[in-house]
Amino acid sequence: MCAPALTPGAEAKTLRFAFQGELKSVDPYQINESFSLSVNGAVYEGLVRFRPDLTLEPCLATSWEVLDPLHWRFHLRRGVKFHEGQDFTADDVVFSAHRVLGAGSDLKGVIPGDAEIVKVDDFTVDFILKRPAPLLINQWATWGIFSKSWAEAHGATEATAMNATTPPYAGLHANGTGPFILVSHEPGVKTVWKKNPNWWDKPTGNVDEVVFTPIPNAATRVAALLSGEIDWMDPVPLNDQDRVNANPGTQVLAGPEVRTIFLGMDQSRDELGHSSVKGKNPFKDVRVRKAFYQAIDEDAINKKVMRGQATPTALMISPSLFSRSKDFKRLPFDPEASKKLLAEAGYPDGFEVQLDCPNDRYVNDEQICQAVVGMLARVGVKVDLNAEPKSKFFASISAAGGYDSSFYLLGWTPTTLESSNVFQYIMGCRDPKTNSGGNNVGGYCNPKVDDLARQALLEPDAAKRDDDFARAYQIALFDDVSYIPLHQQALAWGVARTVHVSQPANNYYVFAWATMN
């Protein structure tokens, strides 16, 4: 089924979209970040995809079956072509599986590193596992399939690490099967997509072209929306939402988001970098980690920085995604207890450390970090704020950058929409063999937590599975104080009233769902 062509004389519908940060690369394997994954999803499709309600449905795979707990078989969609005309076959799936597991990929965790990927025939692929993975496909909606022949022809058989100084071919060009075709990509300037007239599916929207422009300055971004220069923006600053709603031609689409904002600490190095401490690492001491936690007044951050539109959290997952959330409470804000803990740990006068923070990724990210700086100063800790654009921030703190951070602010949306993803990427011990802990910047590691998370994955009963995860959260976040959860931020998109878009809670932008009057 192809999308209908424009009738003679019909005006092309161009959707103009703006975000506070840039799209560094159009290679979806280069950075495991929801903004990049979602916009690149206009071009690259997975074997499965999300519906607007975030349930999964078939995409490039029409069906699949679990032949036994270690053997998954996928039946592929026939008649699909890549944008440059190549036929989609099993060879592309096998190639893409090896590409996503390659050294430069930031999405290694989507497939177990020791899985065997086997072509059965041109439209059938088997995934043979070493251990059961009942949630194998839950994050495959963001794993886009590449054309094997196209990648080989352009030297793009491997993903390039996000801190590469020279953009690779696949970082500037794209060739997927999706509803939109990449026309041009100028990093930091503009990206343009056009409707794919030969898409195998029928779009629910009517957009012919999408033009993305990064607009870092919030005031400029809002002015562009109010003047009609753009049609859709994210995010609308909290203090501008009333003005956007009052404008006759625009409105704010607001809703809950499942992303958790948190602070992390380097617990792996013997000497803490970017700090005044020499010869040891204060964050290896749970008393110091707990002192930092109890020095931070998240209620004040929510009230003053987030204007009451965040949901303070005790866990690293949204309450809507975890049935046991109500059983957990944040550690109390207590500066005196914080000072006492620091003194007990041998830092009665505190110490100095750098806080790495993006300034164009999350809602009021730099302002949150500024508040944290002030709160820690009250207990004697001098924090040097290093706030920078997300392209530099992620390149430094990622595996490709050597996890170069001592103290950092990060956000995480579990693509599986449940807890196993949090433990796999954020709280699991780093293990290249299993692709665990890939985004565990601070290097936290407790084998008991890993064992509980693995045990939970094998539990078919959802309630019992959450019981296992609850025990793992208790150890990791309350016994070990491995992270400092802050809040779930709220979604706030600004859109022209002539534009209708779906707003899923994972904050993904699906241009194929957009309709323009």
Side-chain angles (χ1 to χ4, degrees):
M1 293 182 290
C2 298
L6 287 175
T7 57
E11 183 178 349
K13 295 186 182 296
T14 298
L15 178 67
R16 298 158 300 174
F17 172 66
F19 182 64
Q20 60 184 347
E22 68 171 298
L23 175 62
K24 182 176 181 180
S25 173
V26 293
D27 182 346
Y29 297 11
Q30 198 163 351
I31 178 171
N32 189 6
E33 181 220 7
S34 57
F35 170 77
S36 297
L37 292 173
S38 67
V39 296
N40 284 323
V43 171
Y44 289 103
E45 295 178 299
L47 298 183
V48 298
R49 67 184 179 188
F50 286 125
R51 299 182 181 94
D53 65 0
L54 297 182
T55 57
L56 290 175
E57 67 179 0
C59 189
L60 292 181
T62 55
S63 64
W64 50 90
E65 51 198 321
V66 182
L67 301 178
D68 64 57
L70 300 179
H71 191 173
W72 291 61
R73 173 162 290 175
F74 293 84
H75 302 280
L76 307 183
R77 192 174 298 279
R78 297 170 184 263
V80 175
K81 287 187 178 291
F82 287 91
H83 296 159
E84 295 188 8
Q86 301 91 344
D87 291 324
F88 163 68
T89 70
D91 290 329
D92 303 304
V93 176
V94 175
F95 166 78
S96 297
H98 290 297
R99 189 180 192 273
V100 84
L101 289 170
S105 168
D106 199 37
L107 297 183
K108 295 182 185 68
V110 302
I111 302 173
D114 53 5
E116 184 182 357
I117 303 97
V118 179
K119 173 185 174 181
V120 178
D121 58 41
D122 282 348
F123 295 99
T124 310
V125 177
D126 283 359
F127 285 74
I128 301 171
L129 313 176
K130 296 293 189 293
R131 61 193 62 82
L135 300 179
L136 178 68
I137 65 171
N138 283 44
Q139 52 190 333
W140 282 13
T142 57
W143 168 39
I145 303 300
F146 271 65
S147 162
K148 179 176 185 288
S149 60
W150 178 84
E152 291 174 341
H154 296 290
T157 56
E158 295 184 2
T160 303
M162 70 180 78
N163 62 346
T165 54
T166 303
Y169 186 86
L172 298 173
H173 306 84
N175 180 37
T177 60
F180 287 89
I181 298 169
L182 181 70
V183 175
S184 61
H185 174 57
E186 302 171 76
V189 181
K190 184 171 71 172
T191 305
V192 179
W193 299 269
K194 67 177 180 181
K195 183 174 66 177
N196 175 12
N198 300 311
W199 190 33
W200 60 268
D201 199 5
K202 184 177 181 179
T204 57
N206 65 354
V207 172
D208 299 297
E209 180 184 56
V210 179
V211 178
F212 163 63
T213 307
I215 305 179
N217 183 273
T220 304
R221 200 165 59 249
V222 171
L225 179 70
L226 295 178
S227 68
E229 183 181 339
I230 59 174
D231 307 298
W232 180 7
M233 63 168 278
D234 181 33
V236 180
L238 301 176
N239 58 342
D240 285 315
Q241 292 182 13
D242 289 344
R243 188 156 64 104
V244 170
N245 278 326
N247 184 54
T250 59
Q251 62 180 326
V252 174
L253 292 185
E257 186 180 9
V258 294
R259 185 191 317 275
T260 300
I261 305 298
F262 60 91
L263 294 166
M265 300 153 282
D266 175 14
Q267 298 156 62
S268 61
R269 293 177 176 87
D270 292 330
E271 180 175 292
L272 187 65
H274 308 289
S275 79
S276 62
V277 181
K278 303 304 176 188
K280 55 184 176 179
N281 183 348
F283 287 137
K284 281 181 173 286
D285 190 324
V286 66
R287 293 172 296 184
V288 174
R289 301 195 297 271
K290 188 174 182 180
F292 270 53
Y293 192 134
Q294 295 201 262
I296 295 168
D297 186 351
E298 167 57 28
D299 289 336
I301 291 174
N302 182 32
K303 181 179 179 181
K304 297 177 181 178
V305 179
M306 304 302 291
R307 293 177 176 251
Q309 294 193 31
T311 304
T313 183
L315 297 177
M316 299 283 281
I317 191 167
S318 167
S320 65
L321 304 180
F322 183 55
S323 64
R324 294 284 303 276
S325 292
K326 63 182 180 302
D327 298 338
F328 295 90
K329 305 296 181 186
R330 290 182 55 82
L331 295 181
F333 167 60
D334 190 337
E336 292 307 313
S338 176
K339 292 177 185 177
K340 183 178 179 181
L341 285 165
L342 285 170
E344 290 176 359
Y347 304 96
D349 301 318
F351 56 92
E352 183 175 351
V353 66
Q354 178 173 294
L355 171 59
D356 298 308
C357 182
N359 59 16
D360 61 356
R361 181 59 191 97
Y362 313 116
V363 177
N364 288 353
D365 41 16
E366 185 173 3
Q367 294 96 314
I368 294 169
C369 290
Q370 288 170 344
V372 168
V373 170
M375 291 168 183
L376 285 168
R378 297 189 190 110
V379 299
V381 177
K382 184 178 187 301
V383 178
D384 303 311
L385 178 57
N386 176 39
E388 55 188 357
K390 68 186 179 78
S391 56
K392 292 183 179 180
F393 170 78
F394 285 122
S396 296
I397 74 164
S398 68
Y403 300 113
D404 186 19
S405 183
S406 299
F407 185 35
Y408 59 93
L409 178 131
L410 194 61
W412 191 256
T413 301
T415 53
T416 59
L417 303 176
E418 50 75 58
S419 290
S420 68
N421 178 271
V422 178
F423 286 96
Q424 178 186 359
Y425 285 94
I426 300 294
M427 301 171 74
C429 300
R430 294 183 200 152
D431 185 350
K433 292 181 181 178
T434 61
N435 293 325
S436 176
N439 297 82
N440 180 353
V441 180
Y444 166 71
C445 180
N446 186 329
K448 291 182 180 179
V449 171
D450 281 10
D451 288 345
L452 281 167
R454 281 192 291 265
Q455 176 180 313
L457 263 182
L458 301 179
E459 174 55 63
D461 183 271
K464 292 180 180 178
R465 186 163 60 243
D466 277 357
D467 288 343
D468 288 334
F469 282 131
R471 287 192 286 273
Y473 280 126
Q474 176 63 43
I475 295 171
L477 294 177
F478 297 91
D479 299 346
D480 293 346
V481 195
S482 58
Y483 288 92
I484 305 173
L486 296 177
H487 56 250
Q488 280 87 37
Q489 63 184 29
L491 290 174
W493 295 353
V495 296
R497 292 187 182 272
T498 56
V499 174
H500 306 278
V501 297
S502 294
Q503 187 182 55
N506 63 353
N507 200 20
Y508 272 50
Y509 320 101
V510 184
F511 302 139
W513 296 344
T515 301
M516 303 182 71
N517 295 342

